[in-house]
Structures are given as C-alpha cells and as structure tokens.
C-alpha cells in the first residue's frame, strides 16, 4: 500500500530553535523539544474512522483511546534530564521546560553474531527499529534468536491507540522468538512451532490487561529458517518478504493479488498447505489482516482505491485481551536460490510495498551477496523509510540465506 500523505506537507514549518521541520498540530519540536508557541498550528482535517468505530490516522493503526497513558507515565517517569522537573507528560515531554526525554527504544540495533565472540565479524542476522520522525516514542519491537538448524525473527507493531502498545509489542516479540527457538530445539516441526509461538505471544499480550478498558495490543509476524525452508506466521499487517539474489525476469504473484498458489495459508487452518511453496522470484510472503486487503480480495475496491481510503490502516486481527480467538496464519516456502528474508512493520512497507521495490533498495552488492552485511541492509532500509517521510515507527529484521556457517555456541546478542 502507499502511504497516505494527507496533511504531510500541511505547512513546511521549522522549529525556531533548531530549524527542524515541524508538523501541523504539534506542540513541541521532535528534534530539540522546544515549545512551538502558545498558538497551536492548525491541524489537518481528520482522515476518517475505521470499521467498528476505529479511529484512523495516516500511516498508523488505531483502535481505541489512550486515557490511561498519562496517569501511568506520571507515576513512573524519572525527573527531566534538563531541568529536573517531575511533570513528564504522556508523550515523554517535560511540562516545565518542554524538553523531550530520551528513550532507550528510539533507535535499537539487534544482531546475531556468527560465533560466540560478537566482535569476531560475521552476522547471521540483524535488525533495526527506529522511532521515525513523527511520533514521540517507538511502539515497535523486534527479537532475533538462533535454534538448532536456523534463525528465528519476530517483529511486532504496537496498536497506537491501545493502552501501553510498546509493552504489548515487546512482550509479543520476546515471547514469540523464545518459544520458536525452544520448540525447534526440542524437535518440533517449524509449522507447529510457528503456530505455538504466535499463540504464546497472544497469551503474553493478553496477560498485560488489567481490566476491560485496559487492553494493550499489537500486530505480530515471525519467520524461521529450517533445513532450507522458510516458515512465516502472522496476525495483523506486519509483513515478511523474500528478496531473491537472482531475480527472474517476471515477479511472482504476491498474496492478495489474485494468484491461487500465492495464498499459502487460510485463516489459521493447519491443513491449508500441504507443503512448502517454491520461491524463485522476490515476493511478499504474508497477506495483511486489514480492511483494505478484504476489500481488494472481494473485488469491492482496486488496490489503489483501497490504499487511498481512510480505512486503509484499519486491521481486522491483532494480539490483545480484546482480540477474541486468535487464529495465526502459517505458511512455508522453499527458496530455490540465495536471497534475503525480510521481516518488517508497516513503517517500511507503507513506502515500498512491493518486493521488487524493496530489493532495489538493498545497498551495493547486498542483493547478490545476501550474507555479506545484514546490519547494513537493515540500516539502509530504515534510512530509506526515514528519507521517505518516517511518519511511523520503522522496524526491519534481515536474515540472509544461506546463512554463514555458525558455531553451535552462537547466542543472541543485543
């Protein structure tokens, strides 16, 4: 899908203190925290409401209000790093001096080293998560883990209008990756392990709820490599892609585009796929749980019409106490050659939704030599999203295939 740019250039304003671009409706500068004045900048018109009353804002997924965030942050926030004040608002700004407080999740880089010594060189996989340019905190999370015969990667995107979305995404990513690694190490089939990990993540997120009105929630996508196959599982609209090193002339049909075999799973049905689908060309491996995807699949709207609709970012499945029965999608693939497995949140794919477009962004020889620098690839993709506008949190996990030969003692490194 393309990013909804309604209001993105509402006023090409800059902070009077540091010159950083600011957006309509903002009170503080994202760059330096300077208060932008007593008179608020006129906000752009609202972009509409989602299905079932879900409020929608460009480039971000919304469901409910965040009334409890301010109370919780006031109870737990440390003093302001600038003036020492104790009045820190829900978005992380000091109400006394206006300084934005640093957050350890603003930019996170995660790597899996090739051996026991992280400084030795090669990486099996890497990921980068960034706050982006628009929002005051990072509600995405990622986790990487090794198992007996491969790599596990999980990305989760907190639902921005739920309570404590950053906690939901962290719980989902950590629980999913740990469960995948432990199940696969115990000899489980990757499809069964993927399904079990998604359900474990769902329970972990649901357990964060303290009442009916407090339901932290998030999306979830995982990918595992195992004996030459790739198995993905997902709930929501975070995605996995295969970026082939040697791309054929014709791109394979992607999920949601009308191809029969391309739709590799059906709403959590464990018997929907008899075996791994062959992968040659670059393609998307997941199909969004979203209003837009449903409209396109039913033929009610074209992809362009769905992308332009105010409901484009309304999801139809998520993890959380209010999610109902969670039915993860699971699909397996067998690449026919080397390539890069990409797992990401919509902060990246909103700008570059097609697999071929993402492959074209890979730096230098990364497309032809996928094992060379996964951290460099992840950084480059995040930078492209930032340069395109960075209007959402951006999270990217990169797993090159085939992986470098690794030591059995390889451990997760953050």
């Amino acid at each position: 899908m393309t990013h909804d740019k309604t209001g993105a250039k509402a006023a090409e304003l800059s902070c009077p203190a540091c010159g950083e671009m600011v957006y309509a409706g903002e009170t503080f500068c994202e760059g330096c925290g300077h208060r932008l004045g007593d008179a608020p900048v006129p906000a752009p018109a609202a972009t509409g409401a989602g299905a079932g009353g879900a409020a929608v804002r460009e480039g971000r997924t919304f469901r409910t209000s965040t009334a409890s965030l301010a109370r919780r942050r006031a109870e737990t926030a440390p003093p302001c790093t600038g003036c020492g004040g104790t009045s820190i608002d829900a978005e992380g700004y000091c109400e006394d001096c206006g300084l934005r407080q640093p957050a350890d999740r603003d930019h996170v880089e995660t790597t899996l080293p090739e051996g026991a010594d992280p400084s030795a060189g090669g990486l099996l996989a890497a990921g980068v998560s960034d706050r982006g340019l628009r929002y005051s905190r990072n509600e995405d999370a990622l986790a990487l883990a090794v198992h007996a015969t491969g790599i596990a990667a999980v990305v989760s995107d907190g639902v921005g209008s739920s309570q404590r979305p950053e906690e939901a995404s962290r719980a989902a990513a950590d629980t999913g990756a740990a469960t995948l690694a432990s199940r696969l190490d115990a000899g489980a089939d990757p499809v069964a392990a993927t399904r079990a990990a998604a359900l474990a993540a769902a329970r972990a997120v649901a357990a964060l709820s303290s009442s009916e009105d407090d339901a932290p929630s998030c999306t979830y996508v995982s990918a595992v490599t195992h004996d030459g196959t790739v198995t993905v599982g997902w709930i929501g609209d975070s995605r996995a892609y295969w970026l082939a090193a040697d791309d054929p002339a014709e791109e394979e049909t992607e999920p949601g585009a009308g191809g029969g075999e391309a739709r590799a799973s059906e709403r959590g049905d464990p018997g929907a796929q008899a075996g791994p689908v062959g992968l040659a060309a670059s393609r998307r491996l997941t199909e969004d749980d979203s209003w837009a995807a449903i409209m396109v699949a039913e033929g009610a709207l074209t992809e362009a019409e769905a992308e332009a609709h105010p409901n484009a970012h309304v999801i139809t499945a998520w993890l959380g106490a209010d999610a109902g029965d969670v039915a993860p999608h699971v699909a397996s693939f067998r690449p026919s050659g080397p390539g890069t497995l990409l797992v990401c949140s919509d902060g990246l794919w909103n700008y570059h939704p097609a697999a071929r477009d993402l492959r074209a962004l890979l730096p230098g020889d990364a497309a032809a030599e996928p094992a060379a620098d996964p951290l460099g690839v992840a950084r480059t993709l995040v930078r492209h999203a930032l340069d395109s506008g960075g209007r959402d949190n951006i999270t990217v996990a990169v797993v090159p295939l085939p992986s470098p030969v690794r030591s059995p003692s390889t451990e997760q490194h953050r």
Side-chain angles (χ1 to χ4, degrees):
M1 292 184 289
T2 56
H3 185 68
D4 178 1
K5 288 184 166 54
T6 302
K9 298 183 184 295
E12 296 194 353
L13 304 173
S14 61
C15 171
C18 71
E20 180 77 14
M21 179 180 289
V22 296
Y23 295 89
E26 291 185 327
T27 305
F28 297 104
C29 171
E30 295 282 355
C32 69
H34 180 80
R35 189 183 294 274
L36 297 176
D38 295 330
V41 180
T47 58
V56 181
R57 190 164 66 188
E58 52 191 7
R60 208 182 191 199
T61 302
F62 278 78
R63 292 189 303 101
T64 57
S65 65
T66 54
S68 66
L69 275 173
R71 292 194 302 272
R72 181 178 179 276
R73 189 176 291 274
E75 294 170 356
T76 61
C80 172
T81 56
C83 70
T86 57
S87 298
I88 310 299
D89 69 15
E91 298 299 325
Y93 292 94
C94 175
E95 294 181 339
D96 296 324
C97 71
L99 181 68
R100 183 181 178 276
Q101 304 304 296
D104 58 3
R105 284 175 65 172
D106 279 2
H107 184 88
V108 178
E109 297 189 349
T110 303
T111 62
L112 286 178
E114 193 173 330
D117 181 4
S119 64
L123 298 177
L124 297 169
V128 175
S129 184
D130 192 274
R131 175 172 64 93
L133 303 179
R134 172 70 180 186
Y135 297 108
S136 61
R137 65 182 176 192
N138 188 358
E139 296 167 359
D140 286 2
L142 71 94
L144 302 174
V146 293
H147 60 88
T149 60
I151 307 298
V154 178
V155 166
S156 180
D157 181 352
V159 174
S161 58
S162 71
Q163 298 76 15
R164 295 172 285 136
E166 74 282 5
E167 293 184 19
S169 63
R170 184 76 271 159
D174 288 346
T175 301
T179 303
L180 278 168
S182 63
R183 291 290 183 113
L184 290 165
D185 282 343
D189 172 84
V191 171
T194 294
R195 195 176 306 282
L199 294 176
R203 291 191 294 271
V205 175
L208 297 174
S209 176
S210 60
S211 69
E212 291 183 359
D213 298 323
D214 174 41
S217 53
C218 60
T219 68
Y220 176 94
V221 60
S222 71
V224 295
T225 62
H226 175 82
D227 291 341
T229 65
V230 172
T231 300
V232 295
W234 72 98
I235 302 102
D237 64 353
S238 293
R239 293 182 175 180
Y241 289 85
W242 173 249
L243 310 181
D246 185 16
D247 235 358
E250 294 184 6
E251 186 171 7
E252 291 184 31
T253 303
E254 297 194 358
E261 189 182 35
R263 187 181 174 101
S265 74
E266 296 286 344
R267 305 291 172 191
D269 177 7
Q273 184 181 347
V277 174
L279 280 181
S282 298
R283 59 167 286 184
R284 174 158 53 99
L285 306 181
T286 58
E287 182 179 358
D288 299 340
D289 286 312
S290 70
W291 179 91
I294 291 174
M295 293 297 102
V296 173
E298 292 179 349
L301 296 175
T302 66
E303 282 198 57
E305 290 169 339
E307 289 166 5
H309 197 280
N311 287 356
H313 290 280
V314 173
I315 56 174
T316 56
W318 59 89
L319 303 186
D322 57 353
D325 293 332
V326 175
H329 309 269
V330 180
S332 289
F333 304 87
R334 185 175 295 278
S336 60
T340 299
L341 179 60
L342 171 66
V343 188
C344 65
S345 65
D346 61 356
L348 173 65
W349 69 253
N350 275 333
Y351 296 111
H352 308 284
R356 279 282 176 85
D357 293 341
L358 289 166
R359 183 182 182 275
L361 299 177
L362 300 184
D365 295 330
E369 300 290 340
D373 184 14
L375 181 57
V377 171
R379 287 171 173 169
T380 296
L381 292 174
V382 168
R383 173 47 55 189
H384 277 291
L386 291 170
D387 290 345
S388 298
R391 297 185 65 81
D392 199 356
N393 305 147
I394 309 151
T395 301
V396 172
V398 173
V399 183
L401 289 175
S403 295
V405 176
R406 61 185 178 86
S407 164
S409 60
T410 299
E411 295 178 354
Q412 183 172 344
H413 173 66
R414 291 183 182 276

